Amino acid sequence: MYNVAIIGAGIGGLLAGASLAKQGKKVIIIEKMPYLGGRFTNLPYKGFQLSTGAVHLIPHGNRGPLAQFLQRLGLSVKIEDCKPWCTFRIRGKDYLINDVSDFNPIINLFPLIDRLRMAKILFEVKLLGLPSNEITLEEWLKNQVKDELAVKIANAFYGFALSLHINSIPAGEGILILKRVNDCKGSGVPIGGCKSIIDSLVKFIELQGGKILTKAKVVGVDIDNENITKLHVESDQISEVSANFVISDIGAKETVELVGEKYFDKNYLQKVESISPSAGVKINIASKKSFFKNGILFTPDCQRIGGLIELTTIDPSLAPQGQNLIISHQPLLSTDIKKEIEIGLEDLKSLIPSFDQDCEILLIQSYHNGWPVNRAASGLDIGSVTPLKNLFLVGDSVKEPGWIDTEGVASGVEQILEYLSKIFY
Ligand SMILES: Cc1cc2nc3c(=O)[nH]c(=O)nc-3n(C[C@H](O)[C@H](O)[C@H](O)COP(=O)(O)OP(=O)(O)OC[C@H]3O[C@@H](n4cnc5c(N)ncnc54)[C@H](O)[C@@H]3O)c2cc1C
């Protein structure tokens, strides 16, 4: 009998497993794939370290919830901060951002009336707090600033960071995300890519006596008196697992499907139904030439690509010697994936005029349905506690408000572990 069984070894499941194993709990993590890390690990390809999902970025670098979580565990993963925080390429000119004041030259591109309105917005947010989540960020922004450059800049940032158009981001959540970006001062790249974090978590869990299974799929559960009493597992190693409590990292909808809808009340099912994922396209490019030396480049003038990063300027080990790895990201704005990719490629050719001569497309990856960018688009996350007494959720359908991607996953795990420590131990 285990204290905790965790379904899924994505970053959410592994962070939860590592913390609980450190507390001395008997932990088992059950992963259906032959590899660990879910959408946050490396995918070796032609000597390059591509990834199963993430762009190899830690959104808030060494100062965000993920890095702090790893530090509390005592793990020494090296996260190299992006310097500058980022760059915006607007009308062919690069604006390097190392601090909030570096936005001034961008703000000066706006007509005087819009600049005055921006000052008013800043004042109102400071004085009155965040705007309502009842309206979209697009509505809110367009109500205040009239020049369409504002929408383009916002779409580049949120398209790259969240894989969302601003017409689907609640205004309050969007501004809270910006506040966090400003508080944490830029992103970072884990040296060795996402897998370096996954490997150190796995090693840590095993050293603490935790058990991790791969090629083991949880296919059903037994329930008694609103408690999961047994997990049924398809694998060569084990067929069932019993634990005092169960943490699911496979997504809220997927967890409800696995357990069976009849065990959840109507309110909860409605909440889960209201979650929609964010979808995106990532283009992995190899080049002997270096094009983007200044960290994350946001590209407001592109039709689809929100931004890109030449990762090898920060971690050369992600590509064979003498080669550069550039990764672009764009939100998937229609169901015509082929067309969305074509538009992304047009964007790349406008950013790199010698694209056809100097670049090789390594791999184009699209993320949607069961393998999305985030299982809950920002602002749509639900809480980790479920109607079943010993079942809890972690991962990117239960991120904490205002925290994006793995930062949201890490802060969600932190919250639920604090809750569990109060009710169980
Ligand atoms: C294109 C793209 C770019 C991104 N860029 C970044 C970035 O640069 N930085 C960042 O922080 N985040 C980024 N993200 C988001 C980040 O990858 C995710 O938020 C994060 O990986 C989600 O982790 P998770 O643990 O919630 O889920 P997952 O990684 O999906 O883990 C869930 C695991 O559960 C397993 N599983 C499912 N069902 C079962 C079952 N029945 N039995 C056993 N196992 C099961 C799955 O195989 C999987 O391994 C990006 C995502 C994408 C797609």
Side-chain angles (χ1 to χ4, degrees), residues 6-14 30-33 35-41 51-59 66 160-161 163 194 216-219 249-251 254 258 278 280-282 329 365 367 370-375 394-397 399 404-407 409:
I6 298 175
I7 313 174
I11 183 107
L14 293 171
I30 307 158
E31 168 58 51
K32 71 175 178 183
M33 303 293 263
Y35 69 90
L36 302 167
R39 284 167 288 151
F40 195 77
T41 191
S51 106
T52 51
V55 186
H56 290 309
L57 277 168
I58 306 300
L66 176 58
F160 183 74
S163 217
C194 314
K217 182 176 180 183
V218 179
V219 288
D249 181 36
I250 69 173
E254 293 77 359
L258 177 72
S278 57
V281 170
K282 204 173 74 178
H329 185 76
Q365 296 163 289
Y367 294 88
W371 203 250
V373 176
N374 276 300
R375 284 205 195 87
V394 292
D396 62 359
S397 55
K399 300 181 295 301
I404 61 175
D405 293 334
T406 53
E407 306 289 9
V409 173

Side-chain angles (χ1 to χ4, degrees), residues 5 8 154 181 208 240 362 381:
V181 170
Q208 306 288 325
E240 50 186 48
L362 291 167
D381 297 79

Side-chain angles (χ1 to χ4, degrees), residues 263 368 379:
Y263 295 108
H368 44 92

